[in-house]
Amino acid sequence: MTSPVIFPLDQGELSVEATGGALVRRTVLPSGVRVLTEKVAGARSVTIGFWVAVGSRDEIAAEAANGLSGGHPASLGSTHFLEHLLFKGTTTRSAFDIASAFDAVGGEQNAVTAKEYTCYYAKVRDEDTEMAVEVMADMLTSSVLDPQEFETERGVILEELAMAEDDPTDVAQERLFEAVLGEHPLGRPIGGDAETIRAASRDGVLAHYRANYRPNDLVVTAAGNIDHDHLVQWLVRHLTAADWDMAATADPVARRVTTPAAVVRGQQLVVVERPIEQANLMIGWPGITSTDDRRVALSTMNAIFGGGMSSRLFQEIREKRGLAYSVYSFSSGYSDAGVFGLYAGCSPRNVTEVASLLFDEFHRLATDGVTAAELARAKGQLAGSAALALEDTDTRMSRLGRAEIGSGEFIDYEASIGMLNAVTIDQITELAADIASRDASVVVVGKAKENDLSKIVEKGRGWGTHSS
């Protein structure tokens, strides 16, 4: 497959051959349920995911929710709260029944709440696939959200949030998204915070569950030794048994709008003082969306700049100067916004020097571009990483889910390599200059003072070659 394949919401059946002879099939059922599989030759396992395109960005602040009529809109943290609760029992299974079903076959089961989706997934032997479908379908459709379990899980989530608050890198990343994206919903923490979790009500979470967990919201993806027709049959059988009307006709929910949003920076500088040995430094700019035509150029730029041991940041800050153990760049793209960021963990006495170096190196990239050798090395790194990732059925399952829920475009390995090979030095330089022209935010968690960083943050004001 040398070009992307579009997944139209109104097309019932689609089949394509992917790299290495893997067969990708897609069925849109009359009820709106979408089923995608990738059969992988030689696999003895199956990874299966149940996806719903609702995430933390879709929640509403409590004060806004109180002013709305028609039920209980999802307050902040409800999506993450619900993800926990679906493991706590259904009308026919207890929490122990759910856990032991997978333990008894050596399987793995978990879930993830993201900013734009929630996914419940499992990995089992191929012969245990129907069991996984049955249990996960039951969880998704028939959870009771028991009031006592609700209160117990509230305590568990508060402990999870406390654990994250004890990780300075997690704290820095949460604060960076808030600082860069401001009031945009993507800037909010995925799991909510202690205040919103304490305020969450069972009625609110239940209304969120009923409003967003319906047949036309559901996407099921599976990869490994999976028979597509059998999976469709199992899903119809077990979803029907759970009282979902699989004969009813409904269109799949529309995908998100991908027009870039107008992002207004929240803060230029955030310092969270903590009595720890390192200053955890992050610098971030508004990035690009997940469907931006420049996204492959961004991945390439990221590999060159801070994506490995041969990257510029690693060589300049760790190898040459010994100022940090961990230093890297990263990018996160969503439907209508994104973040490009830099991280370094360093001694508090070096934080201003390291911050200055991070800015200087990125500005140098935006001004001088990259070399042909750097570009070739980055392309090899990305191509190799992509090939190795496809050895895992988890990656293939997730690739199908993100394609269906996000862009509606399936990009196989060969197509992705074609897009990667088309990236040029000029594209990377222009993209770096574009990002550098935007206002940056600086976040430090550790022993740091705002006064010490005041001159450095001025380097984060909109800068770039576009104005000259």
Side-chain angles (χ1 to χ4, degrees):
M1 183 190 305
T2 57
S3 59
V5 174
I6 304 300
F7 286 162
L9 291 177
D10 59 355
Q11 183 174 345
E13 296 287 339
L14 185 148
S15 178
V16 295
E17 185 175 327
T19 302
L23 181 63
V24 173
R25 291 185 61 187
R26 175 177 181 265
T27 297
V28 180
L29 297 173
S31 61
V33 173
R34 287 163 281 171
V35 186
L36 300 93
T37 62
E38 183 170 4
K39 188 173 181 63
V40 181
R44 289 302 314 272
S45 66
V46 173
T47 304
I48 185 167
F50 282 55
W51 303 70
V52 178
V54 59
S56 59
R57 70 166 297 167
D58 302 303
E59 298 164 346
I60 302 172
E63 56 270 23
N66 290 337
L68 297 178
S69 60
H72 302 267
S75 59
L76 303 185
S78 293
T79 307
H80 182 225
F81 211 138
L82 179 59
E83 175 225 301
H84 278 244
L85 290 170
L86 292 200
F87 289 86
K88 294 304 171 183
T90 71
T91 55
T92 59
R93 287 179 173 85
S94 67
F96 181 79
D97 292 335
I98 292 170
S100 61
F102 289 92
D103 285 348
V105 298
E108 303 169 2
Q109 187 193 27
N110 211 327
V112 59
T113 302
K115 292 183 182 286
E116 296 193 316
Y117 63 81
T118 309
C119 179
Y120 305 84
Y121 59 93
K123 187 170 187 176
V124 294
R125 294 177 300 179
D126 47 11
E127 61 198 75
D128 299 314
T129 305
E130 185 177 5
M131 179 279 295
V133 172
E134 179 181 0
V135 175
M136 294 174 72
D138 189 33
M139 288 172 53
L140 201 86
T141 61
S142 305
S143 286
V144 294
L145 276 64
D146 177 79
Q148 184 174 343
E149 290 283 6
F150 187 91
E151 293 306 322
T152 301
E153 208 59 26
R154 191 196 304 273
V156 171
I157 296 171
L158 288 171
E159 291 298 329
E160 182 183 3
L161 294 177
M163 181 176 67
E165 276 293 311
D166 282 342
D167 186 329
T169 307
D170 279 359
V171 174
Q173 184 156 339
E174 292 286 12
R175 301 298 190 276
L176 183 74
F177 271 72
E178 294 172 359
V180 172
L181 299 177
E183 295 299 316
H184 192 291
L186 289 169
R188 298 193 300 247
I190 290 173
D193 57 31
E195 181 181 357
T196 60
I197 294 301
R198 290 192 182 101
S201 70
R202 178 182 178 275
D203 286 346
V205 176
L206 180 61
H208 177 53
Y209 177 42
R210 290 173 174 169
N212 295 291
Y213 284 59
R214 306 165 299 173
N216 62 332
D217 286 290
L218 179 60
V219 171
V220 178
T221 64
N225 187 23
I226 182 71
D227 182 285
H228 182 87
D229 294 327
H230 286 165
L231 177 59
V232 170
Q233 292 169 9
W234 296 333
L235 282 167
V236 171
R237 178 188 308 156
H238 295 299
L239 292 173
T240 300
D243 292 331
W244 272 19
D245 188 355
M246 297 301 291
T249 301
D251 295 328
V253 293
R255 297 186 178 104
R256 296 181 190 274
V257 174
T258 57
T259 303
V263 173
V264 178
R265 183 177 63 179
Q267 292 176 274
Q268 183 180 21
L269 174 63
V270 177
V271 175
V272 181
E273 292 197 37
R274 294 280 178 88
I276 53 180
E277 294 303 311
Q278 276 198 319
N280 290 263
L281 166 67
M282 283 194 175
I283 300 173
W285 294 260
I288 64 176
T289 68
S290 59
T291 58
D292 192 299
D293 291 341
R294 301 170 294 173
R295 61 191 183 276
V296 182
L298 178 61
S299 296
T300 312
M301 182 188 83
N302 186 62
I304 293 169
F305 190 61
M309 294 177 66
S310 64
S311 68
R312 289 190 180 186
L313 291 184
F314 193 95
Q315 289 295 312
E316 186 67 28
I317 293 175
R318 173 171 162 161
E319 296 296 279
K320 291 182 182 179
R321 301 172 186 265
L323 291 173
Y325 174 76
S326 180
V327 57
Y328 55 84
S329 61
F330 60 92
S331 64
S332 299
Y334 304 94
S335 58
D336 61 351
V339 172
F340 176 73
L342 317 177
Y343 169 83
C346 62
S347 169
R349 68 176 180 272
N350 295 327
V351 67
T352 54
E353 180 183 2
V354 172
S356 182
L357 285 168
L358 291 175
F359 274 121
D360 289 345
E361 285 299 311
F362 190 54
H363 291 167
R364 184 166 70 87
L365 175 71
T367 301
D368 300 337
V370 302
T371 67
E374 286 178 317
L375 180 60
R377 186 166 61 244
K379 288 181 176 181
Q381 176 187 341
L382 293 172
S385 296
L388 293 176
L390 292 178
E391 297 293 317
D392 187 351
T393 56
D394 298 20
T395 299
R396 292 175 182 263
M397 181 280 290
S398 295
R399 180 175 63 166
L400 289 173
R402 290 194 302 270
E404 180 62 50
I405 284 178
S407 64
E409 185 179 66
F410 177 71
I411 303 175
D412 189 34
Y413 177 76
E414 290 179 354
S416 68
I417 296 304
M419 297 167 69
L420 176 62
N421 288 336
V423 173
T424 66
I425 289 175
D426 286 346
Q427 288 174 343
I428 293 174
T429 308
E430 291 167 5
L431 177 57
D434 181 17
I435 294 175
S437 73
R438 307 173 186 184
D439 289 338
S441 296
V442 178
V443 173
V444 182
V445 177
K447 298 174 185 176
K449 302 293 184 182
E450 288 191 26
N451 290 340
D452 297 337
L453 293 160
S454 58
K455 292 183 180 180
I456 299 301
V457 297
E458 290 303 309
K459 291 190 175 187
R461 291 189 180 276
W463 175 97
T465 58
H466 71 295
S467 60
S468 59

